[in-house]
Each structure stands twice: as C-alpha cells, then as structure tokens.
Amino acid sequence: MKKRIILLLAVIIAAAAAGVAFYVAKDKGHEKAADVSVNTESGDELLVSITDTDLLTKYYENDKVIHEEKLTSYPAFALDQKQQVLYYTGNNEQNEMRLFKLDLKSHKKTMLYKGAESADSLFLSKDRSTIYFRLGKADESNFRIAAFDLKTKKYKNLYPAANDQDDTVSSFFYNQKNDSFALLHYSVEEDYKKTDEANEKGIDPEPTTIHFAEGRQNKFNELKSLNQFISDIAVSDDDKRILFTSYTQKGTEQTASIQMLNADTKKYESIISNQKSFKLLIDAQPQFSKDGKNIYFLAEAKGAKKLKDETGREAKVRTIYSYSLENKTFKKVWENPNGIINSFFVIN
C-alpha cells in the first residue's frame, strides 16, 4: 500500500463548476494558459501540477503557469505564495531524489538536497522555515514523515520512530493554520500478510487496517482505525473535520467515495460518491475550501478525453470539482484537456 509513483497517463498518485481557459507558457513567466478553465469558489486559489503527453510538467497558480519542466518522477511540490518561491522534487538518471527551490521572481533555481531517498507530499511550515514531506528509503519498506530545515539543509525524522521498521505512513496532511498534522498509517507486516494470503487463494486482498492520527511534530494522538482501502487524508482549518477517500476493489473494478470523519465524536459518513457527470478517482485528494463550506476533489468527467503519452500509456483527463456542503451541489472548477492532473492544493 505504498504510495504509487505513476508517470503521466498511467494512474497518477501520491489526492470543483464551470469554466477556465488554458494558456501556454512560453518561458518561465506567469503566463496564462489558453487551454485551462478555472472557476473556483470565492477567494480560493489552487496550486495544480499537470503533465502533458510529452511528459512536460507544468505548475499552475490558478490559471497562471508559474513553472514547467520535463517530468523525471512523481512531482511533489509546495508554494510559498508570499515570497513567490516554488519547492519541488525531481530525480536524476540514477533515480536519486533532488529537492529544488525556484525563485519565481528571479527564476533562480537552487538544489537544496540530493540523496537516495524518495520524497512526496511536500508542505511548507507555518513559519516558512521547514518543508515537511513523506520520506522513503531504499533500505526500508516503510515511509515516514520528515522535516527538512531550509536553513541547515538537513532533515529529521518525525514519525514513526527511527527504529520502527513496521509502521508506515501512507498519507499525511499538514494544516498550516494550526501547525498540525493528520496522517494515515498501517503495519507493513499486516499488509504483506494479507497480500500473500490473497495471492495464495487467488482472491482480492482484504484491506489492511488503516489508523488515523493527528497532532504536532512527534506528539500524535490516535483517532480511529478502519478496515478499508483508504488513499488520502485532509483536515479543516480547525482540525475538527477530516476528509479521506475510501474505495472498494473487485478485480479491476474500483469504486471510490469521499468520507468525512468528526475528530471529536469519531463518527464518519459518506458525503461524495459517483455522479452521472463524473466518476471519483480512488485518490480524489479531497480538500476543504478556505471557509470550510466547500470541498474540492479530483474526478473523471463523463466523456473525459483520453490521452496517450510518448511511452504509449493512456489515461483520461482529470477534472477538479467542488462540492457545496450547504447546497449539496457540484460544479466543475479546474480542467486542462491537454494533460493529466497529478495533484493539487488549496492555497492557504
């Protein structure tokens, strides 16, 4: 159940109403894209990563291309909107991870770190001094949350403990407003055991027990455990509501739904499922709007365009939708028909 790293047009992992137009970036500037359509909720801004059929990854701040670069790995990224600095990862030919800092005003690019580790799910800390990311090491079977100090250029382990080789973080979310974390974690041993048993019997595997936790730095409190396939997690600004994508799998068929967990009562309910106009992705990446009244998520629109990349792999165009918790209505928010959305964030 490690986070799957997928290049364009094979399912991409790590988790919106009408209208944008896309724009083609000719260089490093903040040019609007003529092919993008954007219609976010009032006051909300989105940071979106998208990869086209030539494996060129573009980063958008709403409808502006702020950077583009040839894809070398799953594009993890974070934006310091105040300082106009983009942080993102990439790999070299030896598949070694690189963490870059790009000044969007001067276009100066700096490599902050290089190593054999892998990193995804980047978040910038509240005081802008630290990058939090999910860390994987070649000699370990589990993933951890780590903190990279932008001044010392070194990272430290946050969760799980350094000597714990079984507990693994499948997804996490950093709440910049409260300087807090929410995470999903599970046992690698249990996951392997269930997979082996399913292979021996020739059946679909049972879901590994997923544990929900939240807290600050190394102090995490367990909230709830569920025997479900769960791919992502996000929280509201007050840490009281937790969103996650749960899915079922029968053979090659997967059906997803977005659930909301009350952190106080520990009760949860399904709030978004497939509609006539779209099909949810199993990594829908649900996130709250700034005011907490809407939820943004990824889905495939009905009749979505199918693209083929230079390797011959195919995938359907993805769309960011929004869902109004008050009116129970959906609308299309962000779409580019010429590429596949990797991931997105609601900018705080």
Side-chain angles (χ1 to χ4, degrees):
M1 294 178 64
K2 287 184 177 181
K3 192 160 188 176
R4 289 154 289 176
I5 296 179
I6 310 164
L7 299 186
L8 173 70
L9 307 184
V11 182
I12 302 179
I13 200 175
V20 154
F22 232 149
Y23 317 161
V24 177
K26 298 178 181 177
D27 53 28
K28 305 171 185 176
H30 288 32
E31 296 197 23
K32 290 187 176 181
D35 300 338
V36 174
S37 57
V38 179
N39 186 11
T40 58
E41 303 301 334
S42 179
D44 289 332
E45 294 185 75
L46 301 181
L47 177 65
V48 184
S49 164
I50 188 167
T51 302
D52 65 19
T53 54
D54 295 322
L55 300 185
L56 182 68
T57 296
K58 296 180 181 180
Y59 300 89
Y60 289 85
E61 187 177 358
N62 269 358
D63 59 357
K64 297 183 297 183
V65 178
I66 60 175
H67 181 57
E68 59 182 57
E69 191 166 318
K70 191 76 171 181
L71 179 69
T72 57
S73 65
Y74 181 85
F77 56 97
L79 176 68
D80 183 339
Q81 194 176 33
K82 183 176 181 180
Q83 300 298 327
Q84 278 296 285
V85 172
L86 179 70
Y87 298 94
Y88 65 99
T89 61
N91 285 33
N92 65 2
E93 294 180 356
Q94 289 72 43
N95 204 33
E96 293 177 317
M97 187 269 287
R98 302 288 189 263
L99 176 62
F100 296 103
K101 172 185 177 181
L102 177 66
D103 187 314
L104 297 173
K105 292 174 290 188
S106 67
H107 309 308
K108 181 181 179 181
K109 177 180 174 182
T110 306
M111 184 169 65
L112 301 177
Y113 181 81
K114 62 179 179 179
E117 301 85 354
S118 64
D120 59 25
S121 304
L122 268 62
F123 292 91
L124 181 66
S125 67
K126 185 176 183 178
D127 63 4
R128 297 182 173 82
S129 69
T130 306
I131 293 288
Y132 298 115
F133 56 88
R134 201 178 71 118
L135 171 72
K137 294 184 177 181
D139 59 346
E140 295 183 346
S141 58
N142 59 338
F143 282 77
R144 308 175 183 280
I145 298 177
F148 180 82
D149 189 307
L150 291 170
K151 184 176 182 180
T152 66
K153 307 298 189 295
K154 295 180 179 180
Y155 71 82
K156 65 178 180 180
N157 181 76
L158 296 184
Y159 183 92
N163 61 353
D164 191 334
Q165 299 293 310
D166 182 56
D167 196 9
T168 186
V169 175
S170 57
S171 181
F172 85 98
F173 188 90
Y174 173 70
N175 183 351
Q176 192 178 72
K177 184 175 182 179
N178 284 350
D179 192 28
S180 59
F181 297 84
L183 64 94
L184 301 173
H185 63 111
Y186 66 91
S187 163
V188 173
E189 182 180 357
E190 179 190 350
D191 188 48
Y192 282 153
K193 181 179 179 181
K194 289 189 174 181
T195 300
D196 290 342
E197 290 175 347
N199 289 337
E200 290 174 2
K201 297 177 181 179
I203 60 175
D204 292 328
E206 292 295 319
T208 301
T209 304
I210 299 293
H211 307 282
F212 291 72
E214 67 174 2
R216 290 176 172 79
Q217 294 290 335
N218 293 321
K219 298 180 180 179
F220 293 95
N221 301 312
E222 295 297 315
L223 293 176
K224 194 176 185 67
S225 297
L226 293 174
N227 289 316
Q228 297 182 17
F229 291 112
I230 301 173
S231 57
D232 49 41
I233 189 170
V235 296
S236 57
D237 278 353
D238 60 5
D239 289 330
K240 297 297 184 182
R241 295 175 295 168
I242 297 174
L243 297 173
F244 61 96
T245 306
S246 175
Y247 64 95
T248 58
Q249 183 167 333
K250 291 185 178 180
T252 59
E253 291 296 318
Q254 298 171 324
T255 303
S257 64
I258 294 174
Q259 313 277 327
M260 185 160 64
L261 169 68
N262 185 302
D264 292 328
T265 66
K266 310 299 188 293
K267 295 181 179 180
Y268 67 97
E269 61 178 335
S270 176
I271 54 173
I272 301 174
S273 57
N274 291 336
Q275 303 292 309
K276 291 182 178 179
S277 59
F278 65 77
K279 179 182 179 181
L280 283 173
L281 299 178
I282 65 169
D283 55 324
Q285 303 176 31
Q287 298 166 54
F288 285 102
S289 60
K290 285 184 178 180
D291 60 13
K293 296 180 180 180
N294 298 279
I295 294 171
Y296 294 100
F297 62 93
L298 277 175
E300 288 181 359
K302 182 179 180 181
K305 181 180 178 182
K306 184 179 290 186
L307 300 179
K308 180 184 292 186
D309 69 16
E310 60 186 25
T311 71
R313 289 175 293 197
E314 293 183 338
K316 291 183 179 180
V317 167
R318 298 173 168 190
T319 301
I320 301 173
Y321 287 83
S322 70
Y323 173 69
S324 169
L325 290 166
E326 181 179 353
N327 300 324
K328 314 299 182 187
T329 55
F330 298 93
K331 74 175 185 179
K332 190 179 290 188
V333 167
W334 202 103
E335 185 178 78
N336 180 343
N338 298 319
I340 305 297
I341 296 173
N342 302 308
S343 55
F344 76 97
F345 293 101
V346 179
I347 303 174
N348 292 323

